[in-house]
Amino acid sequence: MDLGSTMDLFVTSLEIAGISAPSDRPIDGVSLMPILTEKRIARDHLFHWRGNKLMAVRYGAYKAHFYSEGELDWNSPALQQYSPPLLYQVEHDPSELYPVGHEDPNYEQMMEKIKKLASDHLSDLDYGMPQMNICDRHVALWRPDLSAPKSKPYNCCQDPCSTW
């Protein structure tokens, strides 16, 4: 299964148009042209971020969750951390309902690779200024299936690396 992200559409569109990507800033996307034209994989891993938090890493057929959104009833924590991380074989379990057991030999093997990818990514990361850093986490984490929170959103970003 090939991995892609909406951030790849920018780079892919540039390549189709014959335009070089800007060199004055990091570009996270990769061109999907190898998948479209040569039937080869463009990438084997993908990082899943929520704000300034690396929530999960997809590597091949596996996805490890370090954090997830908690139940947003406005009284429970917005983030739930998993230690050890949850690992899913997403090609067989696309809904991510059945985590790979910690005793499974694939768990340690895949987590070693995924943790290395995450560590390398984080050590090379240059945090940018969030474009939608909302101070009120109830507004920032709202989604359509929730009732509207009683709050007033405002941008309060002082430190781009800060978290809630």
Side-chain angles (χ1 to χ4, degrees):
M1 180 180 290
D2 298 318
L3 298 178
S5 170
T6 54
M7 67 184 164
D8 299 333
L9 297 177
F10 175 65
V11 180
T12 305
S13 299
L14 290 175
E15 185 173 339
I16 291 170
I19 302 170
S20 298
S23 60
D24 63 337
R25 68 199 80 147
I27 304 293
D28 293 325
V30 300
S31 176
L32 299 175
M33 288 304 292
I35 296 169
L36 300 173
T37 60
E38 303 166 31
K39 305 297 184 214
R40 59 182 182 89
I41 296 173
R43 72 163 88 217
D44 64 357
H45 62 279
L46 194 59
F47 300 103
H48 297 270
W49 286 86
R50 174 77 176 179
N52 292 331
K53 188 70 71 180
L54 179 60
M55 304 288 280
V57 176
R58 168 84 187 260
Y59 177 66
Y62 289 87
K63 184 176 177 187
H65 286 263
F66 302 103
Y67 296 90
S68 71
E69 290 182 10
E71 292 300 316
L72 294 179
D73 61 3
W74 311 130
N75 294 316
S76 61
L79 292 178
Q80 180 176 350
Q81 183 175 10
Y82 299 109
S83 183
L86 297 178
L87 182 68
Y88 296 93
Q89 207 291 5
V90 293
E91 289 182 358
H92 296 148
D93 179 19
S95 298
E96 300 175 15
L97 297 175
Y98 307 102
V100 175
H102 300 135
E103 67 285 347
D104 187 308
N106 289 327
Y107 183 88
E108 284 302 320
Q109 179 184 13
M110 292 310 299
M111 285 309 304
E112 185 177 322
K113 292 176 183 178
I114 289 172
K115 285 180 178 179
K116 171 123 177 56
L117 284 169
S119 176
D120 291 349
H121 176 65
L122 291 170
S123 69
D124 191 37
L125 193 63
D126 182 17
Y127 283 90
M129 181 65 72
Q131 300 299 304
M132 297 182 70
N133 189 14
I134 306 290
C135 275
D136 187 333
R137 74 178 178 92
H138 296 131
V139 172
L141 297 177
W142 180 84
R143 57 184 196 241
D145 60 320
L146 299 173
S147 60
K150 296 176 182 173
S151 58
K152 297 178 182 171
Y154 57 95
N155 189 312
C156 65
C157 188
Q158 306 274 329
D159 174 6
C161 297
S162 66
T163 57
W164 290 306

